[in-house]
């Protein structure tokens, strides 16, 4: 049972980190501190009040930035490296008791999962920003935050389901990203044609 709990934390936490690293860090830290879940390895350091406080403070900044058109995409661009790196650190910390032989491959796995969910989020936001109204950004941001909280709930209550949903999301994201890249390519090619025609 401990294996499945750790698997749910690693996979669910990695996916959530790719969407919102700071909310995930604070959520897992609070969950451990409240005794709702036992974080593996050195991940229990997330429960330190300073770590939780810092994560919540940066989350507050992201909460605002993530709802402003184009600012959200700029924020995502900066976090292309931060979110996967954060997930890699979490994976590395989780395997502290197992040594480097387990820490490095798990860190690569958690980083890859976070990169996948980050790219899916960032690409969908770019597509949303082609619409002039701001309400879709707010709706997308709230949905993403709710998804992260939902993932943390599943990590605590149903870690196996959390792991299975992450696998299904990865399969879906492969199809989704192909569609979104084609869509964005069409949008940018139209803009290039319009600029050429205007010149």
């Amino acid at each position: 049972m401990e294996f499945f709990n750790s698997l749910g934390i690693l996979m669910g936490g990695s996916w959530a980190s790719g969407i919102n690293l700071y909310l995930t860090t604070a959520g897992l830290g609070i969950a451990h501190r409240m005794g709702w879940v036992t974080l593996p390895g050195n991940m229990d350091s997330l429960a330190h009040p300073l770590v939780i406080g810092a994560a919540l403070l940066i989350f507050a900044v992201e909460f605002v930035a993530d709802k402003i058109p184009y600012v959200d995409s700029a924020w995502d661009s900066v976090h292309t490296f931060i979110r996967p790196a954060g997930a890699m650190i979490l994976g590395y910390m989780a395997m502290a008791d197992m040594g480097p032989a387990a820490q490095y491959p798990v860190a690569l796995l958690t980083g890859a999962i976070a990169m996948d969910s980050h790219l899916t989020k960032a690409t969908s936001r770019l597509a949303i920003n082609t619409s002039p109204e701001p309400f879709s950004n707010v709706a997308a941001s709230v949905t993403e935050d709710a998804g992260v909280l939902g993932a943390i709930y599943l990590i605590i209550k149903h870690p196996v389901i959390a792991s299975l949903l992450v696998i299904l999301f990865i399969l879906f994201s492969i199809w989704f990203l192909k569609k979104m890249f084609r869509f964005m390519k069409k949008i940018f090619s139209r803009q290039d044609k319009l600029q050429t025609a205007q010149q």
Side-chain angles (χ1 to χ4, degrees):
M1 191 65 183
E2 185 177 343
F3 169 78
F4 291 111
N5 288 335
S6 296
L7 185 65
I9 291 168
L10 287 171
M11 296 193 69
S14 301
W15 176 88
S17 294
I19 303 295
N20 193 316
L21 175 63
Y22 311 113
L23 181 58
T24 303
T25 300
L28 290 176
I30 291 169
H32 182 85
R33 196 168 186 82
M34 298 295 291
W36 298 334
V37 70
T38 301
L39 297 177
N42 290 337
M43 279 186 72
D44 59 356
S45 61
L46 299 182
H48 193 284
L50 288 177
V51 175
I52 294 172
L56 288 175
L57 182 63
I58 305 173
F59 167 65
V61 176
E62 182 167 27
F63 184 82
V64 176
D66 205 41
K67 292 169 178 59
I68 303 171
Y70 299 106
V71 173
D72 60 343
S73 291
W75 185 272
D76 283 339
S77 297
V78 172
H79 283 76
T80 298
F81 303 102
I82 296 174
R83 288 171 183 155
M88 289 180 73
I89 292 170
L90 294 181
Y92 188 86
M93 292 167 63
M95 295 290 107
D97 298 335
M98 306 288 288
Q103 286 177 298
Y104 292 126
V106 170
L108 290 173
L109 175 64
T110 53
I113 293 172
M115 178 62 83
D116 178 75
S117 60
H118 166 76
L119 288 175
T120 303
K121 170 185 174 171
T123 306
S124 63
R125 284 306 191 87
L126 276 173
I128 288 171
N129 281 334
T130 61
S131 173
E133 45 77 30
F135 304 108
S136 53
N137 295 76
V138 175
S141 180
V142 171
T143 301
E144 290 159 4
D145 290 342
V148 170
L149 293 175
I152 293 171
Y153 171 80
L154 289 175
I155 288 168
I156 296 168
K157 294 291 186 180
H158 308 286
V160 175
I161 294 176
S163 301
L164 291 174
L165 286 177
V166 169
I167 293 170
L168 290 175
F169 177 86
I170 292 171
L171 295 174
F172 165 77
S173 68
I174 294 170
W175 170 84
F176 177 79
L177 286 171
K178 285 181 180 179
K179 291 286 186 182
M180 284 295 100
F181 282 135
R182 287 174 188 165
F183 173 73
M184 295 309 298
K185 188 176 179 180
K186 287 180 181 178
I187 294 294
F188 287 122
S189 64
R190 285 177 188 171
Q191 289 178 347
D192 289 340
K193 287 179 182 177
L194 285 172
Q195 288 177 353
T196 304
Q198 288 173 355
Q199 291 174 356

